[in-house]
Every structure is written in structure tokens, then in C-alpha cells.
């Protein structure tokens, strides 16, 4: 086995900064650019690990905050770690819980070495800081652990963003010193809100500390599209070309393409799974509501030409019916389709970079950014 953390750059696009890479982890190889389905509480909602594998998923996300509250580390350790517990043998990346502490929990008290907060489940008092977050991720056995950071809101005043970066850097330096699971990689997270110089400073300092990979955090928190793209650029300028870069929580297809063009390798987002649960299908040409009345008699699959299990076997009319009468299978089929769409999209990107046709691929998806991109009124804002 090649040493975990080894990142091979296999091809680069001549007309952008897009790269085709391969990251080695303790549980296998990850071909990049990669999209990682979110399995917050130890499952990607509505699909089994076998179905994930069939869809082409390579890495699954877990969440420190949620898994620590329920079922608790004692349960997961007794069951042999997160991989065994959830029946997934591939790589697992765990979020540190920083984002959840700052977004979910009320009555939080930010302290020098972490955050004291009330559990969103039963209100009990919990403390989570860099030491605790790394201990949990070690016990989960995550292949990639994220540092415990503070995700600043948008908009964010300069003073607050500055303090938040200082805290994130101090905590990141602590995280990297903590004991790790065997072969576990640790990624630093660039913060700094919409302030270019703060993001640059944060990235520069993280690189001095030294991490296996670097993430761009504090994005997709309600900022307009141009601010998001600028945040990516500002974060990437100081990051080493030879380490993997991960854009956290960004999942619109056009955003993924633009980020790949800027040199991002890894993505995660709840969009394909969460949107499936409210009846939205993603297609190559945008997204549409499958529950809409106009599909009542539609005998076409959810997406024409798609090779997923749902599209090979069922009509749009059937999936629409299941969703409208709240049959579980409706959500399962649409989740399978949406995940397949995302995995196919990432494969297209990897192939295009390898073959030198990324610019054409990027151009072919340009319509996605606008509204009402096709005759079905589908769009991907
Ligand atoms: Zn499909």
C-alpha cells in the first residue's frame, strides 16, 4: 500500500488550474476531483453502502458533532469503529463539528480552548474543542480528520473575522499535535470570511504548520456567487499545489465546475440527497420537481439516457406517484438517481481533465448558471 496522504497529480488542464489527482488513504484510493456524499449520522440517507458503491461513491462523510451526541463514542467503539459500524469499507472523512457547534447549538460559550454548548437533542452541556474533536475523530477511525475551526457567518465584520482566523489557527496547531488513528490524515481549514487578506494569511499560517490537505471553509453560508468564487481564489493563492484542496459544503454543479477550474479537488454537499427527499431531480440540463402535475403521464425515466437503477427500471410517472403518496421507495429511487448524476458528473470532469477537454466540458455546462435553462423549466440556481 502506498503511504496514506500521498497525493499524485496525474494530469493538469492547460487552460485552467484544474487537476486530475489520486489521493491515497488508509482505506483505499480516491480519484480526484471527487464528490463525497454526506452521511452525517452514520448513513447516507435512504441508500445502503452497496448502493453507494454501485453509484460510484469513493468517500463518505461522517460528522463528529452528531455521532458524538448519538449514538456516542462508546457504542461506535464497541462496534469496531465507524467503518465497521456503518458497513462502509471505503475512505471516510469526518467533519470536526466546528460548523455544527456554531450553527446548531444555542447558548454556546466560546472559550480559549473550545466551545461549551447545549446539545440540540436533550439540552445537556457539552464541551468541544480541538483536543476533543481530534479524540473523537481518532476513535471513529476517520481516514481524513478535519481540524476544529470557527466558521464565521456572512456577512462578517472585519474585526470578528480576524479574531475568528486567530482562533482557527490556534486550534489548528493544537489539532495537528493530537494522537491519530492509524494512517489518519488531518486537513487544515482556511477561514477569513469575505476578507481576501485574512484568507491569505490563514492559508499561509496553516501551510507553515503543515497539513496533509487543506480545506476552504466558511463558504456557501449565504454569500452571493461572486463572493463565493472570490473566497475560493483568495484561499487557494497561498496553498501548496502538491496537496489536495477541499471546498466544504459547496454542491451546485456550476460551482463545482468553477471550483475545479480554480484547482479544487474535493467536494461535499447534502444537495443530491436532501433535494431527492423533497422531490427534486438533478439532470445534465438542470433540476426539476418530479412531483409536478405535468409528469403524471410521463413514461420517460427521471433523466433520459441515465444508466442508474431508477432510470433503467422506472418511469417518471411512477417515481412521481411514489413521492406524492409518500412511499419510501420514491425517495430511495430519486436519491439513487441524484447520487448517480453527481458521480457521473465527477467522472466526466476527471475524464475531461485527463483528455485535455475540460474547457469544452465547462462550456457545455454554462447554461446551468442561469434560470429556466430548458423547455421543462428546469434550472440550477
Ligand atoms: Zn437515473
Amino acid at each position: 500500500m502506498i503511504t496514506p496522504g500521498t497525493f499524485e497529480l496525474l494530469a493538469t488542464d492547460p487552460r485552467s488550474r484544474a487537476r486530475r489527482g489520486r489521493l491515497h488513504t488508509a482505506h483505499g484510493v480516491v480519484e480526484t476531483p471527487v464528490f463525497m456524499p454526506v452521511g452525517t449520522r452514520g448513513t447516507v440517507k435512504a441508500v445502503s453502502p452497496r448502493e453507494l458503491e454501485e453509484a460510484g461513491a469513493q468517500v463518505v462523510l461522517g460528522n463528529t458533532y452528531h455521532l458524538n451526541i448519538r449514538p456516542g463514542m462508546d457504542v461506535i467503539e464497541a462496534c469496531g469503529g465507524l467503518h465497521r459500524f456503518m458497513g462502509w469499507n471505503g475512505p471516510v472523512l469526518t467533519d470536526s463539528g466546528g460548523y455544527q457547534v456554531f450553527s446548531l447549538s444555542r447558548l454556546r460559550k466560546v472559550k480559549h480552548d473550545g466551545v461549551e454548548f447545549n446539545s440540540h437533542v436533550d439540552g445537556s452541556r457539552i464541551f468541544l474543542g480541538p483536543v476533543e474533536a481530534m479524540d473523537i475523530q481518532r476513535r471513529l477511525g476517520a481516514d481524513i480528520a478535519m481540524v476544529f475551526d470557527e466558521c464565521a457567518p456572512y456577512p462578517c465584520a472585519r474585526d470578528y473575522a480576524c479574531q475568528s482566523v486567530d482562533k482557527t489557527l490556534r486550534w489548528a496547531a493544537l489539532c495537528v499535535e493530537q494522537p491519530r488513528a492509524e494512517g489518519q490524515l488531518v486537513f487544515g481549514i482556511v477561514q477569513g470570511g469575505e476578507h481576501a487578506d485574512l484568507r491569505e494569511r490563514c492559508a499561509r499560517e496553516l501551510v507553515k504548520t503543515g497539513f496533509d490537505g487543506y480545506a476552504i471553509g466558511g463558504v456557501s453560508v449565504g454569500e452571493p456567487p461572486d463572493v463565493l468564487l472570490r473566497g475560493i481564489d483568495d484561499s487557494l493563492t497561498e496553498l501548496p499545489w502538491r496537496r489536495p484542496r477541499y471546498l466544504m459544503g459547496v454542491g451546485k454543479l456550476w460551482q463545482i465546475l468553477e471550483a475545479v477550474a480554480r484547482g479544487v479537488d474535493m467536494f461535499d454537499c447534502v444537495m443530491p440527497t436532501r433535494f431527492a427527499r423533497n422531490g427534486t431531480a438533478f439532470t445534465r440540463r438542470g433540476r426539476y420537481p418530479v412531483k409536478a402535475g405535468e409528469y403524471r403521464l410521463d413514461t420517460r425515466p427521471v433523466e433520459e439516457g441515465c444508466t442508474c437503477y431508477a432510470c433503467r427500471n422506472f418511469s417518471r410517472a411512477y417515481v412521481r406517484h411514489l413521492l406524492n403518496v409518500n412511499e419510501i421507495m420514491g425517495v430511495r429511487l430519486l436519491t439513487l438517481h441524484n447520487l448517480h448524476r453527481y458521480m457521473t458528473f465527477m467522472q466526466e470532469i476527471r475524464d475531461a481533465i485527463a483528455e485535455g477537454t475540460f474547457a469544452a466540458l465547462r462550456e457545455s455546462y454554462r447554461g446551468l448558471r442561469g434560470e429556466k435553462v430548458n423547455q421543462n423549466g428546469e434550472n440550477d440556481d
Side-chain angles (χ1 to χ4, degrees), residues 282 301-303 305-312 333 336-338 340-341:
F282 286 89
V302 168
E303 179 174 9
C306 176
T307 59
C308 83
Y309 173 75
C311 290
R312 274 187 286 116
L333 291 176
L336 285 176
H337 168 76
N338 282 353
H340 182 91
R341 173 92 284 276

PDB file of all heavy atoms in Angstrom, residues 282 301-303 305-312 333 336-338 340-341, ligand 1:
ATOM      1  N   PHE A 282     -31.937  15.992 -10.232  1.00  0.00           N
ATOM      2  CA  PHE A 282     -30.854  16.673 -10.953  1.00  0.00           C
ATOM      3  C   PHE A 282     -30.656  15.971 -12.293  1.00  0.00           C
ATOM      4  O   PHE A 282     -30.676  14.748 -12.354  1.00  0.00           O
ATOM      5  CB  PHE A 282     -29.548  16.612 -10.154  1.00  0.00           C
ATOM      6  CG  PHE A 282     -29.544  17.527  -8.968  1.00  0.00           C
ATOM      7  CD1 PHE A 282     -30.023  17.092  -7.740  1.00  0.00           C
ATOM      8  CD2 PHE A 282     -29.103  18.835  -9.088  1.00  0.00           C
ATOM      9  CE1 PHE A 282     -30.045  17.945  -6.646  1.00  0.00           C
ATOM     10  CE2 PHE A 282     -29.117  19.694  -8.001  1.00  0.00           C
ATOM     11  CZ  PHE A 282     -29.589  19.246  -6.779  1.00  0.00           C
ATOM     12  N   PRO A 301     -37.896   7.991 -18.278  1.00  0.00           N
ATOM     13  CA  PRO A 301     -37.252   7.869 -16.965  1.00  0.00           C
ATOM     14  C   PRO A 301     -37.014   9.254 -16.366  1.00  0.00           C
ATOM     15  O   PRO A 301     -37.235  10.269 -17.035  1.00  0.00           O
ATOM     16  CB  PRO A 301     -35.928   7.179 -17.280  1.00  0.00           C
ATOM     17  CG  PRO A 301     -35.648   7.495 -18.709  1.00  0.00           C
ATOM     18  CD  PRO A 301     -36.984   7.618 -19.382  1.00  0.00           C
ATOM     19  N   VAL A 302     -36.554   9.304 -15.108  1.00  0.00           N
ATOM     20  CA  VAL A 302     -36.287  10.583 -14.442  1.00  0.00           C
ATOM     21  C   VAL A 302     -35.363  11.432 -15.303  1.00  0.00           C
ATOM     22  O   VAL A 302     -35.572  12.634 -15.479  1.00  0.00           O
ATOM     23  CB  VAL A 302     -35.679  10.344 -13.039  1.00  0.00           C
ATOM     24  CG1 VAL A 302     -35.119  11.637 -12.450  1.00  0.00           C
ATOM     25  CG2 VAL A 302     -36.749   9.764 -12.105  1.00  0.00           C
ATOM     26  N   GLU A 303     -34.314  10.804 -15.864  1.00  0.00           N
ATOM     27  CA  GLU A 303     -33.448  11.511 -16.816  1.00  0.00           C
ATOM     28  C   GLU A 303     -33.183  10.591 -17.999  1.00  0.00           C
ATOM     29  O   GLU A 303     -32.660   9.489 -17.839  1.00  0.00           O
ATOM     30  CB  GLU A 303     -32.110  11.912 -16.166  1.00  0.00           C
ATOM     31  CG  GLU A 303     -31.195  12.624 -17.158  1.00  0.00           C
ATOM     32  CD  GLU A 303     -29.915  13.171 -16.542  1.00  0.00           C
ATOM     33  OE1 GLU A 303     -29.614  12.866 -15.369  1.00  0.00           O
ATOM     34  OE2 GLU A 303     -29.216  13.910 -17.271  1.00  0.00           O
ATOM     35  N   GLY A 305     -31.472   8.751 -20.868  1.00  0.00           N
ATOM     36  CA  GLY A 305     -30.065   8.416 -21.116  1.00  0.00           C
ATOM     37  C   GLY A 305     -29.306   8.027 -19.857  1.00  0.00           C
ATOM     38  O   GLY A 305     -28.178   7.546 -19.930  1.00  0.00           O
ATOM     39  N   CYS A 306     -29.902   8.224 -18.685  1.00  0.00           N
ATOM     40  CA  CYS A 306     -29.224   7.882 -17.427  1.00  0.00           C
ATOM     41  C   CYS A 306     -29.220   6.365 -17.254  1.00  0.00           C
ATOM     42  O   CYS A 306     -30.194   5.690 -17.579  1.00  0.00           O
ATOM     43  CB  CYS A 306     -29.939   8.552 -16.255  1.00  0.00           C
ATOM     44  SG  CYS A 306     -29.234   8.098 -14.647  1.00  0.00           S
ATOM     45  N   THR A 307     -28.115   5.832 -16.726  1.00  0.00           N
ATOM     46  CA  THR A 307     -27.985   4.381 -16.578  1.00  0.00           C
ATOM     47  C   THR A 307     -28.172   3.915 -15.133  1.00  0.00           C
ATOM     48  O   THR A 307     -27.847   2.785 -14.797  1.00  0.00           O
ATOM     49  CB  THR A 307     -26.597   3.906 -17.079  1.00  0.00           C
ATOM     50  OG1 THR A 307     -25.590   4.581 -16.319  1.00  0.00           O
ATOM     51  CG2 THR A 307     -26.407   4.198 -18.554  1.00  0.00           C
ATOM     52  N   CYS A 308     -28.679   4.788 -14.271  1.00  0.00           N
ATOM     53  CA  CYS A 308     -28.866   4.380 -12.868  1.00  0.00           C
ATOM     54  C   CYS A 308     -30.017   3.375 -12.751  1.00  0.00           C
ATOM     55  O   CYS A 308     -30.834   3.237 -13.663  1.00  0.00           O
ATOM     56  CB  CYS A 308     -29.112   5.595 -11.967  1.00  0.00           C
ATOM     57  SG  CYS A 308     -30.822   6.171 -11.922  1.00  0.00           S
ATOM     58  N   TYR A 309     -30.094   2.693 -11.632  1.00  0.00           N
ATOM     59  CA  TYR A 309     -31.125   1.671 -11.397  1.00  0.00           C
ATOM     60  C   TYR A 309     -32.526   2.264 -11.555  1.00  0.00           C
ATOM     61  O   TYR A 309     -33.406   1.664 -12.189  1.00  0.00           O
ATOM     62  CB  TYR A 309     -30.955   1.077  -9.991  1.00  0.00           C
ATOM     63  CG  TYR A 309     -32.061   0.136  -9.600  1.00  0.00           C
ATOM     64  CD1 TYR A 309     -32.117  -1.154 -10.148  1.00  0.00           C
ATOM     65  CD2 TYR A 309     -33.055   0.529  -8.708  1.00  0.00           C
ATOM     66  CE1 TYR A 309     -33.155  -2.026  -9.800  1.00  0.00           C
ATOM     67  CE2 TYR A 309     -34.095  -0.330  -8.365  1.00  0.00           C
ATOM     68  CZ  TYR A 309     -34.142  -1.607  -8.910  1.00  0.00           C
ATOM     69  OH  TYR A 309     -35.164  -2.450  -8.573  1.00  0.00           O
ATOM     70  N   ALA A 310     -32.740   3.457 -11.007  1.00  0.00           N
ATOM     71  CA  ALA A 310     -34.061   4.087 -11.074  1.00  0.00           C
ATOM     72  C   ALA A 310     -34.462   4.363 -12.521  1.00  0.00           C
ATOM     73  O   ALA A 310     -35.597   4.091 -12.926  1.00  0.00           O
ATOM     74  CB  ALA A 310     -34.067   5.375 -10.256  1.00  0.00           C
ATOM     75  N   CYS A 311     -33.530   4.891 -13.303  1.00  0.00           N
ATOM     76  CA  CYS A 311     -33.860   5.273 -14.681  1.00  0.00           C
ATOM     77  C   CYS A 311     -33.940   4.060 -15.617  1.00  0.00           C
ATOM     78  O   CYS A 311     -34.660   4.085 -16.612  1.00  0.00           O
ATOM     79  CB  CYS A 311     -32.849   6.287 -15.203  1.00  0.00           C
ATOM     80  SG  CYS A 311     -33.013   7.888 -14.384  1.00  0.00           S
ATOM     81  N   ARG A 312     -33.213   2.998 -15.274  1.00  0.00           N
ATOM     82  CA  ARG A 312     -33.276   1.801 -16.120  1.00  0.00           C
ATOM     83  C   ARG A 312     -34.603   1.062 -15.938  1.00  0.00           C
ATOM     84  O   ARG A 312     -35.033   0.324 -16.813  1.00  0.00           O
ATOM     85  CB  ARG A 312     -32.117   0.851 -15.793  1.00  0.00           C
ATOM     86  CG  ARG A 312     -30.831   1.152 -16.553  1.00  0.00           C
ATOM     87  CD  ARG A 312     -29.768   0.100 -16.326  1.00  0.00           C
ATOM     88  NE  ARG A 312     -29.163   0.209 -15.004  1.00  0.00           N
ATOM     89  CZ  ARG A 312     -29.241  -0.715 -14.059  1.00  0.00           C
ATOM     90  NH1 ARG A 312     -29.917  -1.846 -14.257  1.00  0.00           N
ATOM     91  NH2 ARG A 312     -28.661  -0.524 -12.895  1.00  0.00           N
ATOM     92  N   LEU A 333     -35.443   5.892  -4.797  1.00  0.00           N
ATOM     93  CA  LEU A 333     -35.129   5.903  -6.231  1.00  0.00           C
ATOM     94  C   LEU A 333     -34.537   7.243  -6.658  1.00  0.00           C
ATOM     95  O   LEU A 333     -33.568   7.292  -7.423  1.00  0.00           O
ATOM     96  CB  LEU A 333     -36.388   5.589  -7.050  1.00  0.00           C
ATOM     97  CG  LEU A 333     -36.925   4.151  -6.936  1.00  0.00           C
ATOM     98  CD1 LEU A 333     -38.231   3.998  -7.710  1.00  0.00           C
ATOM     99  CD2 LEU A 333     -35.886   3.129  -7.435  1.00  0.00           C
ATOM    100  N   LEU A 336     -30.987   7.583  -5.381  1.00  0.00           N
ATOM    101  CA  LEU A 336     -30.063   6.800  -6.219  1.00  0.00           C
ATOM    102  C   LEU A 336     -29.750   7.549  -7.505  1.00  0.00           C
ATOM    103  O   LEU A 336     -28.597   7.631  -7.935  1.00  0.00           O
ATOM    104  CB  LEU A 336     -30.691   5.437  -6.582  1.00  0.00           C
ATOM    105  CG  LEU A 336     -30.730   4.385  -5.484  1.00  0.00           C
ATOM    106  CD1 LEU A 336     -31.476   3.140  -5.972  1.00  0.00           C
ATOM    107  CD2 LEU A 336     -29.308   4.011  -5.057  1.00  0.00           C
ATOM    108  N   HIS A 337     -30.801   8.100  -8.124  1.00  0.00           N
ATOM    109  CA  HIS A 337     -30.584   8.838  -9.372  1.00  0.00           C
ATOM    110  C   HIS A 337     -29.696  10.064  -9.153  1.00  0.00           C
ATOM    111  O   HIS A 337     -28.729  10.276  -9.893  1.00  0.00           O
ATOM    112  CB  HIS A 337     -31.896   9.283 -10.017  1.00  0.00           C
ATOM    113  CG  HIS A 337     -31.664  10.269 -11.108  1.00  0.00           C
ATOM    114  ND1 HIS A 337     -31.186   9.906 -12.357  1.00  0.00           N
ATOM    115  CD2 HIS A 337     -31.719  11.632 -11.108  1.00  0.00           C
ATOM    116  CE1 HIS A 337     -30.988  11.002 -13.079  1.00  0.00           C
ATOM    117  NE2 HIS A 337     -31.301  12.059 -12.355  1.00  0.00           N
ATOM    118  N   ASN A 338     -30.027  10.877  -8.141  1.00  0.00           N
ATOM    119  CA  ASN A 338     -29.259  12.107  -7.915  1.00  0.00           C
ATOM    120  C   ASN A 338     -27.794  11.812  -7.599  1.00  0.00           C
ATOM    121  O   ASN A 338     -26.897  12.516  -8.084  1.00  0.00           O
ATOM    122  CB  ASN A 338     -29.890  12.935  -6.792  1.00  0.00           C
ATOM    123  CG  ASN A 338     -31.117  13.706  -7.263  1.00  0.00           C
ATOM    124  OD1 ASN A 338     -31.434  13.723  -8.462  1.00  0.00           O
ATOM    125  ND2 ASN A 338     -31.811  14.341  -6.338  1.00  0.00           N
ATOM    126  N   HIS A 340     -26.147   9.165  -8.567  1.00  0.00           N
ATOM    127  CA  HIS A 340     -25.571   8.694  -9.831  1.00  0.00           C
ATOM    128  C   HIS A 340     -25.211   9.887 -10.728  1.00  0.00           C
ATOM    129  O   HIS A 340     -24.146   9.922 -11.347  1.00  0.00           O
ATOM    130  CB  HIS A 340     -26.575   7.776 -10.532  1.00  0.00           C
ATOM    131  CG  HIS A 340     -26.083   7.194 -11.814  1.00  0.00           C
ATOM    132  ND1 HIS A 340     -25.416   5.985 -11.871  1.00  0.00           N
ATOM    133  CD2 HIS A 340     -26.117   7.648 -13.087  1.00  0.00           C
ATOM    134  CE1 HIS A 340     -25.081   5.731 -13.123  1.00  0.00           C
ATOM    135  NE2 HIS A 340     -25.491   6.728 -13.883  1.00  0.00           N
ATOM    136  N   ARG A 341     -26.121  10.871 -10.768  1.00  0.00           N
ATOM    137  CA  ARG A 341     -25.890  12.082 -11.579  1.00  0.00           C
ATOM    138  C   ARG A 341     -24.605  12.800 -11.124  1.00  0.00           C
ATOM    139  O   ARG A 341     -23.762  13.176 -11.921  1.00  0.00           O
ATOM    140  CB  ARG A 341     -27.094  13.020 -11.445  1.00  0.00           C
ATOM    141  CG  ARG A 341     -26.915  14.388 -12.090  1.00  0.00           C
ATOM    142  CD  ARG A 341     -27.417  14.428 -13.527  1.00  0.00           C
ATOM    143  NE  ARG A 341     -26.555  13.789 -14.503  1.00  0.00           N
ATOM    144  CZ  ARG A 341     -25.494  14.362 -15.090  1.00  0.00           C
ATOM    145  NH1 ARG A 341     -25.143  15.582 -14.792  1.00  0.00           N
ATOM    146  NH2 ARG A 341     -24.786  13.709 -15.992  1.00  0.00           N
TER     147      ARG A 341
HETATM  148 ZN1  LIG B   1     -31.026   8.000 -13.247  1.00  0.00          ZN
END
